[in-house]
Amino acid sequence: MMEKKSITLHIYYIRCMRIVSMILLMATMCLSGHAKVWTWEECIAYAMENNVTLQKAGLTRQTSEETLKASKAQLFPSLSFTTKHNVAYNPWKAKGTSTVTDSQVLSSNKKTSYNGSYSVGANWTVWNGNRNHNTVRQNSILEEVAEQDSIVSARSIEEQIAKLYVQILYSKEAVKVNKESLEAAKVNEERGKQMVEVGSMSKAECSQLSATRAQDEYNVVRAESNVRNYKRQLKALLQIIDDDDFDIAEGDATDEMALKAIPALRSVYDVAVENRPEIKKAQLQVANAEMQQRIAKAQYLPSVSLNASVGSTNSSLNQNKWGEQMRSNFNMGAGVTLSVPIFDQRAARTAVHKANIQRQTALLDVMDKETSLYSTIENYWIEATNNQNQFKAAKVSTTAAKDSYDLLSEQFAVGLKNVVELQDGKTRLLTAKQSELQAKYSTILNLKLLELYEK
């Protein structure tokens, strides 16, 4: 119970922090007067409040809470009030005929009669093999399952946001690289035109420079389109529907972030297997199956219930007043019911066997989830390690390619290098920059994902 209260307080704290984040976010947007620049933390906070999948998960959790409350209420007696009223008409009733009403013989010549009854009844299942108590325990487990399922959805949204956020950062850097390449292509094209005028270059060679410039323009347009597309996907994940400019904070991804130490694989897994909601959910399903076994075995046992009632009747055939009738006809009763199962067409045995199968399946699910979790973390760790090594090598390659291209550009300007050599150097530089960017942001993404699994 203390652990459950701790979880509830933690959830309450998170919700309060989200509300504060949303208030600060809206205030910033109102005061700034321009497009909101979203940080990664703000994206997470906004998604936790507005994502439809998470809201549906919250409603499922509320349904589980109501089911638990209903099962707890079954432990108490039921109480109900019943009243019946009917009118009878006997057109050929003989004079002096008596009528039996509620065990009373009433004599009247009236052809039309009215009868009423009032009763209050209570029923209480005292013992049924602890099925009612175990049902409460089972529904409490299922409520925790729904809670963990909600957290699974939240963690999944976090991972999706991380991937899209880093992809946007990478795409924006790619736009800058392509624009730098375009500016260099424009300079080379202008030099080529000048060299054609003085007769040191043919028009065919100059056309190659123009074609390169046009290709770089296309690359810029394509890179900008990628940025818009990834922003669209992130807005959809945040459930944002408006025409306002949407952008994310730059500077969140530095070389230092890509070069920081990678945590040990086993340490990440050990933390994740203790804290990840999908593992907790699978373990709760085992507990649920064990509780289902107890409920099924209880079908072999007898059940005991108590019942009691008070009531009274009145009739228009009775000469006494309504109050007199209600007092004289007032009655009370109580009883006990013992139900002993003898032959139930194998219902109890089937339920027990199915519960055993459910438990074995749940245990296998735990093993499968743990294996899948380890494989996922190992993949992120391997990717982080490989990409970090590639990033270190790519930085050296980019520096060398830039120095080489700068020298080629100077030699081209004085006619010592031809167009083919210049284009080849430019291609090597662009490829080196793109490889560096890809390795850098892939490393940052995988490090961020490993960080999420350490939460």
Side-chain angles (χ1 to χ4, degrees), residues 296 299-300 344-356:
Q299 296 183 38
Y300 289 120
D344 62 353
Q345 289 124 0
R346 206 179 182 277
R349 180 177 296 182
T350 300
V352 171
H353 288 177
K354 285 185 176 180
N356 290 335

Side-chain angles (χ1 to χ4, degrees), residues 269-322:
Y269 173 74
D270 289 341
V271 173
V273 80
E274 290 293 328
N275 299 319
R276 288 295 294 185
E278 56 265 36
I279 301 299
K280 291 183 178 180
K281 178 183 174 182
Q283 293 169 343
L284 287 170
Q285 292 291 10
V286 174
N288 174 55
E290 291 173 348
M291 199 58 62
Q292 186 61 39
Q293 284 181 311
R294 298 182 185 180
I295 294 173
K297 290 177 180 178
Q299 296 183 38
Y300 289 120
L301 304 176
S303 62
V304 179
S305 62
L306 301 177
N307 61 80
S309 65
V310 295
S312 185
T313 62
N314 72 297
S315 173
S316 62
L317 300 178
N318 195 317
Q319 301 301 319
N320 294 328
K321 295 181 179 180
W322 184 87

Side-chain angles (χ1 to χ4, degrees), residues 101-244:
T101 302
D102 295 323
S103 301
Q104 298 183 39
V105 180
L106 302 175
S107 299
S108 175
N109 294 326
K110 295 180 180 180
K111 296 182 178 181
T112 302
S113 63
Y114 159 78
N115 296 289
S117 65
Y118 311 86
S119 66
V120 176
N123 190 70
W124 181 31
T125 300
V126 180
W127 192 77
N128 61 353
N130 266 343
R131 269 182 288 178
N132 48 3
H133 290 277
N134 286 331
T135 299
V136 172
R137 296 187 184 100
Q138 184 181 44
N139 287 331
S140 178
I141 292 172
L142 291 176
E143 181 191 13
E144 293 182 40
V145 169
E147 176 66 30
Q148 294 302 320
D149 202 29
S150 178
I151 299 175
V152 167
S153 298
R155 292 292 178 86
S156 176
I157 295 297
E158 280 186 319
E159 290 185 33
Q160 293 179 59
I161 289 175
K163 291 177 181 178
L164 287 172
Y165 198 91
V166 173
Q167 190 64 55
I168 293 172
L169 290 174
Y170 165 72
S171 299
K172 293 175 74 172
E173 287 289 335
V175 170
K176 294 179 181 178
V177 169
N178 282 289
K179 284 184 176 180
E180 290 175 2
S181 180
L182 174 59
E183 291 303 318
K186 288 180 178 179
V187 171
N188 291 336
E189 182 184 24
E190 188 61 32
R191 288 176 182 173
K193 290 179 180 179
Q194 294 173 358
M195 295 173 73
V196 169
E197 292 178 357
V198 298
S200 59
M201 178 183 288
S202 67
K203 290 184 178 180
E205 290 177 316
C206 186
S207 298
Q208 293 180 36
L209 294 175
S210 298
T212 300
R213 185 262 309 154
Q215 180 62 44
D216 284 345
E217 288 178 343
Y218 171 78
N219 292 339
V220 170
V221 172
R222 183 177 61 181
E224 291 175 339
S225 177
N226 289 337
V227 173
R228 287 192 294 269
N229 185 48
Y230 288 123
K231 286 182 180 180
R232 175 193 61 79
Q233 294 180 47
L234 182 55
K235 286 179 65 177
L237 198 60
L238 300 180
Q239 308 291 155
I240 297 177
I241 305 175
D242 57 42
D243 297 329
D244 296 337

Side-chain angles (χ1 to χ4, degrees), residues 254-263 384 388 392 443-444 447-448 451:
T254 61
D255 289 357
E256 289 73 19
M257 290 179 62
L259 294 172
K260 72 177 184 179
I262 300 173
Q388 189 176 80
K392 293 176 182 177
T443 304
I444 291 174
L447 286 172
K448 175 62 73 175
E451 180 183 321

